[in-house]
């Protein structure tokens, strides 16, 4: 049994981590995500679901490592995944083949998170994921909105094809005959 004094004497952990006592065992765990993060990720995923796609939050994108020039298994944790039309993942699946993914969504508000999301831009392009949306928030502001940068895979690299505030995404989007996702999101060139 741990005492309060022992618990208080534990080493401090980096932001985003916490000590938790679970079933009598002390564990270092990732803290729950912020309200802002949940809200923007769910809103963006609901946009895609409104277009008729299956969605999931907090999933792994499988990468053998070859996309980054090494070997072994290196799965990427992503905030949201949109699956290609007609694909419904298994009930207990958490890791997904990039060939079955239409879009990846990342929500960032800290400089390190922004840097990581931009690093993934290159890898997800190499994996052939057609869309990559990065939602940026302002850590210094109380504003609950986020700014979405919409990247589309053109050739072998992503091009910025649109941008929008999360609050400006249509609640019930319609797929236009062109299938242009950026236009469905309300972006006008």
């Amino acid at each position: 049994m741990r005492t309060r004094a022992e618990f208080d004497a534990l080493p401090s952990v980096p932001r985003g981590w916490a000590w938790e006592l679970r079933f009598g065992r002390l564990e270092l765990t990732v803290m729950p995500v912020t309200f802002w993060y949940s809200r923007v990720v769910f809103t963006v995923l609901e946009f895609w679901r409104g277009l008729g796609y299956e969605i999931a939050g907090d999933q792994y994108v499988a990468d053998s490592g070859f996309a980054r020039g090494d070997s072994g298994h290196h799965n990427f944790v992503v905030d949201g995944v949109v699956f290609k039309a007609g694909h419904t993942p298994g009930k207990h699946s958490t890791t997904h083949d990039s060939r079955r993914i239409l879009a990846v969504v990342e929500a960032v508000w800290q400089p390190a998170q922004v840097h990581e999301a931009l690093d993934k831009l290159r890898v997800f392009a190499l994996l052939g994921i057609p869309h990559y949306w990065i939602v940026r928030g302002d850590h210094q502001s109380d504003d609950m909105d986020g700014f979405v940068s919409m990247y589309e895979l053109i050739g072998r690299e992503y091009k910025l094809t649109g941008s929008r505030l999360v609050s400006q995404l249509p609640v019930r989007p319609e797929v236009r005959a062109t299938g242009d996702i950026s236009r469905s999101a309300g972006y006008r060139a």
Side-chain angles (χ1 to χ4, degrees), residues 103-120:
V104 168
V105 177
E106 293 278 30
V108 299
W109 53 270
Q110 295 176 343
Q113 293 171 325
V114 172
H115 181 70
E116 179 184 339
L118 294 175
D119 284 346
K120 289 179 181 179

Side-chain angles (χ1 to χ4, degrees), residues 54-56 59 83 87-96:
E54 291 290 340
I55 58 170
Q59 299 289 294
F83 298 98
H87 177 69
T88 301
K91 179 178 179 179
H92 300 289
S93 62
T94 58
T95 304
H96 307 282

Side-chain angles (χ1 to χ4, degrees), residues 36 40 44 105-109 133-137 146-149 166:
W36 173 84
V40 298
V44 171
V105 177
E106 293 278 30
V108 299
W109 53 270
W133 285 16
I134 301 174
V135 184
R136 291 177 175 86
F147 183 78
V148 184
S149 297
V166 171

Side-chain angles (χ1 to χ4, degrees), residues 60-119:
Y60 289 111
V61 174
D63 171 25
S64 65
F66 297 114
R68 288 173 286 165
D70 59 14
S71 61
H73 296 285
H74 302 283
N75 297 329
F76 289 99
V77 176
V78 295
D79 300 330
V81 173
V82 179
F83 298 98
K84 289 184 177 178
H87 177 69
T88 301
K91 179 178 179 179
H92 300 289
S93 62
T94 58
T95 304
H96 307 282
D97 186 322
S98 61
R99 293 173 295 182
R100 300 197 180 273
I101 297 173
L102 177 65
V104 168
V105 177
E106 293 278 30
V108 299
W109 53 270
Q110 295 176 343
Q113 293 171 325
V114 172
H115 181 70
E116 179 184 339
L118 294 175
D119 284 346

Side-chain angles (χ1 to χ4, degrees), residues 96-164:
H96 307 282
D97 186 322
S98 61
R99 293 173 295 182
R100 300 197 180 273
I101 297 173
L102 177 65
V104 168
V105 177
E106 293 278 30
V108 299
W109 53 270
Q110 295 176 343
Q113 293 171 325
V114 172
H115 181 70
E116 179 184 339
L118 294 175
D119 284 346
K120 289 179 181 179
L121 194 71
R122 182 185 66 78
V123 174
F124 291 154
L126 290 171
L127 291 173
I129 297 172
H131 300 275
Y132 185 41
W133 285 16
I134 301 174
V135 184
R136 291 177 175 86
D138 183 352
H139 182 62
Q140 303 301 322
S141 169
D142 289 335
D143 186 10
M144 293 301 290
D145 215 338
F147 183 78
V148 184
S149 297
M150 303 166 181
Y151 295 92
E152 186 174 341
L153 190 60
I154 298 173
R156 301 193 75 160
E157 62 184 43
Y158 284 114
K159 302 288 184 196
L160 183 65
T161 57
S163 57
R164 190 70 113 196

